[in-house]
Structure formats: structure tokens, C-alpha cells
Amino acid sequence: MNSLLQKAVNGIRLTPAEALDILKNAPWTEVAQAANTVRHRINPGNKVGYTAFRIINYTNVCEITCSFCSFCRPAHSPEAYVLSLDEIRKKTLEAKAKGADQIFLQGGVNKDIPLEYYTDVLKMLTQELDVKVRGFSPVELVRIAEFNGITLDELLDILKEAGLSSVPGAGAEILSDRMRQILSPKKLPAQVWCDTLAACHKKGLPGSANIVFGSVETPEEIIEHLEYVRKTQDIAHGFKSFVVWTFQPQTDKFPIRHVRGDEYLKLLALSRLYLDNIPHIEVSLLGMGLSLGELGLHSGADDINSIVIEENVLQNHGLTSIEQAEDFIKNAGFTPYRRSLNFD
């Protein structure tokens, strides 16, 4: 085995330069083999996790206007919406009928939504409907605080008191300021994204991190992204999992390239080797499909994330029921277990 891969298998932290060497030069099969070994050291046994939640996009109005996004609408658009509490209640009850007990709230950056809307939604979901709620990407949180003239810490206290229990690592894409200017100049700079999630984690609002690749990012920027995530985890310890995604074609304003299956599996495996402080690696069934997802479970991943009850932003190539999730995991050679969004 490559000496750098052996170093990671032995539990010695890789440097960014070493990770770059692996990404550029190591055969993907060797990286996958090493990552599978590390996965079983970190998570002994043959279990693979899944969870069940519904994504509720509470508004599609967004002023960030990411170049790759086809979901957002300007406030004056006839297609613009903000869901009412009754509409969110209905979607939640539908999800509960399908076995989901968690809601993922995510929308656009909409300055016209009052703070009380967010707290009323959280209280309804957690107190009336008895579901756990993960919600609000870092840029949503930063802008909501700004719109209401309060600090981020004050906002997090308010949302946590209303029922928020975790925050997604959404909006990361590639944590390189060059790439972020291409993706969306209005999004948070890389370090601000990290600092925002560190603040959430310190408030007891854990979550996940991810990477989205397959555009004009360089190998060096991929490693820069992994280093940002690992440093943030060293500080606040709130990332429960890490997910590798690829960009999906949604607009003609953003360059997207084809990502081969072996390229995806190599980065998935490298993530397991490099992120030695994050307990779980999720394979993206929604984005990559079932066949590649199964290989991912033998390349360092130990989780398939969730069934998808509703997805408005991406094309879903994954699973739509708890039974499908358990069958998929069993057929891949593992024992399924259902976990919460926070892995508790």
C-alpha cells in the first residue's frame, strides 16, 4: 500500500500536501481500500445508518442568486412563495404518515420574512407536531440576524429556544474564495461559513458538513475545502458527518463537468482518511444513485443519509421509503440501523 495511505490507516493525521498527493496520484482502489479499513476502525461492526426526514423549503424567494441554482425566485415573481404555517403543518403530517419524525427546514434568503415566522414554525413543529427540526443554512442564519438587527449568537439562542436542534452544513459547495466568487459572490466567504457553523456547534446545534464538486475547482481547492472543515471540527466538534456531492446541471450560468464514478469514490474515500475528527461519512444516494452508493459503502462511507420524501432543488436518484433504505443496506452486505439527524 502507498506509504501515505498506510499512514492514515495507522491513525496518523495526513497533512494537506499529503492529501493532495493521494488525490492526484494514488489509485482510487487503494484509496478506497484504505478508507474502508479506517471506516471499520472508527465505526466497528457491520452497521450502516439511515434516517428519515422531510425537506420543507419554506420559501423560494432568495437574494443570493447562486449561479447553479434553478430553485430560487425574486420576490416579485409570480412563482415566488412563502409557505404558511398550515401548509407546513400539512407537509409535516404527510411525512409523519410515512414514518418520518424529523423536518429539515430550508429556504432562500428572504428579507421580508419576520423573525416571528421562524419561531412560530419551530414551535408548531416541535411542540404541536412533536418532530425534531434541522434548519437554516449558514447564509440564512447570518442574513436573518442582520435583517433583525441582532447578533448571530442572539439569533441562535432564540431559534434554539423555539425548538431548533441542529443546523445543516449547507451552502459550502467549495470552500475556496475563488470558487465562491464563481458560484455566488453574495454567499458567505469560506472562513465566515466555518465561523458561523462553529458558533452553532458551540451553542449545542450540531450538524453535518459537505463538499460539492464537479465544476472548475482545482485539486488544491478540494484539499483546501477539506482542511477548512477539519479545522472547524477541531475547534467546535459539531460535525456529526460529512457528505460528498456532485453538482447537478440546473442552469446554463455555471460550468459543470462530468464526474466519473471512480473520481467520486476516490474523493469519498479520501474524505474518510483526511477527516479523522468526523465520526461518519455519508454516501449521497440522492445525487449519485444506488449502484455507486453501494460501492461507496465499501469505500469509507458508513451511512446513506435518508429516504427522500420531498426534494425540490435536486433530481432524486435515491430512495423514497424506510423499507427501501433497509433493503438497500442489507443487499449491500450490511446491517441497517435507523438514526436521528444528530446520530443520537
Side-chain angles (χ1 to χ4, degrees):
M1 182 182 288
N2 177 300
S3 61
L4 294 180
L5 295 177
Q6 190 62 57
K7 176 181 178 179
V9 167
N10 292 340
I12 301 171
R13 175 168 278 196
L14 294 170
T15 68
E18 290 170 336
L20 183 61
D21 189 307
I22 291 171
L23 183 62
K24 286 184 171 182
N25 301 314
W28 79 267
T29 51
E30 291 188 14
V31 185
Q33 180 184 9
N36 191 48
T37 301
V38 171
R39 168 262 199 266
H40 284 285
R41 171 166 53 79
I42 294 175
N43 296 294
N46 207 41
K47 297 191 301 181
V48 165
Y50 73 93
T51 187
F53 61 87
R54 182 170 194 161
I55 300 170
I56 297 180
N57 299 116
Y58 61 88
T59 183
N60 66 347
V61 176
C62 187
E63 64 181 43
I64 301 300
T65 58
C66 299
S67 62
F68 59 89
C69 179
S70 61
F71 175 70
C72 71
R73 296 290 184 274
H76 61 268
S77 168
E79 298 176 325
Y81 72 81
V82 177
L83 294 181
S84 67
L85 265 64
D86 283 342
E87 289 171 318
I88 293 174
R89 180 185 290 108
K90 180 181 178 181
K91 287 178 176 288
T92 303
L93 291 173
E94 289 172 353
K96 291 187 72 172
K98 294 182 179 181
D101 56 1
Q102 303 165 112
I103 294 297
F104 185 170
L105 274 181
Q106 194 166 12
V109 173
N110 185 343
K111 63 179 176 13
D112 295 324
I113 297 179
L115 182 57
E116 291 74 18
Y117 173 88
Y118 300 107
T119 55
D120 287 347
V121 167
L122 288 169
K123 288 174 183 177
M124 176 189 71
L125 290 172
T126 57
Q127 297 174 19
E128 176 189 333
L129 300 178
D130 192 29
V131 293
K132 298 286 187 182
V133 182
R134 169 171 290 187
F136 314 119
S137 65
V139 70
E140 287 173 82
L141 292 169
V142 168
R143 297 294 181 251
I144 291 170
E146 290 176 355
F147 296 152
N148 288 277
I150 58 178
T151 67
L152 176 63
D153 279 350
E154 289 170 335
L155 175 65
L156 295 176
D157 287 338
I158 290 168
L159 297 179
K160 187 176 179 182
E161 176 67 22
L164 187 66
S165 57
S166 65
V167 173
E173 284 84 48
I174 293 288
L175 294 173
S176 147
D177 286 331
R178 182 191 76 90
M179 279 300 299
R180 296 181 83 70
Q181 284 299 309
I182 297 171
L183 289 162
S184 177
K186 297 180 183 178
K187 258 191 175 166
L188 302 179
Q191 189 58 58
V192 177
W193 184 93
C194 294
D195 293 344
T196 302
L197 282 173
C200 294
H201 298 167
K202 289 175 182 177
K203 289 286 187 180
L205 294 168
S208 61
N210 61 56
I211 186 170
V212 190
F213 77 114
S215 180
V216 293
E217 75 283 341
T218 65
E220 288 78 7
E221 286 171 321
I222 287 175
I223 302 304
E224 181 183 5
H225 179 106
L226 295 180
E227 179 66 3
Y228 267 119
V229 171
R230 191 169 73 176
K231 282 184 174 180
T232 303
Q233 182 73 342
D234 279 341
I235 292 168
H237 314 291
F239 291 131
K240 302 295 185 179
S241 64
F242 184 80
V243 195
V244 179
W245 299 80
T246 59
F247 286 108
Q248 289 191 9
Q250 298 185 54
T251 75
D252 58 5
K253 303 174 185 177
F254 181 71
I256 293 177
R257 61 180 175 82
H258 173 70
V259 175
R260 300 188 316 272
D262 62 310
E263 184 183 2
Y264 175 81
L265 293 170
K266 187 175 186 178
L267 182 53
L268 178 79
L270 179 58
S271 300
R272 176 63 290 164
L273 300 178
Y274 196 76
L275 301 174
D276 55 4
N277 52 5
I278 295 181
H280 301 284
I281 300 293
E282 302 176 24
V283 67
S284 170
L285 295 187
L286 184 151
M288 305 312 298
L290 303 184
S291 296
L292 204 58
E294 183 173 307
L295 286 171
L297 293 178
H298 296 275
S299 303
D302 65 290
D303 195 273
I304 65 167
N305 191 265
S306 73
I307 65 170
V308 179
I309 295 174
E310 179 180 9
E311 172 55 56
N312 295 314
V313 180
L314 300 174
Q315 182 179 356
N316 177 20
H317 299 290
L319 306 169
T320 57
S321 73
I322 291 170
E323 292 75 19
Q324 286 179 356
E326 295 201 343
D327 286 345
F328 172 81
I329 292 169
K330 290 175 184 175
N331 290 336
F334 300 93
T335 302
Y337 76 96
R338 182 168 172 174
R339 49 91 174 175
S340 73
L341 286 167
N342 291 340
F343 286 86
D344 51 21

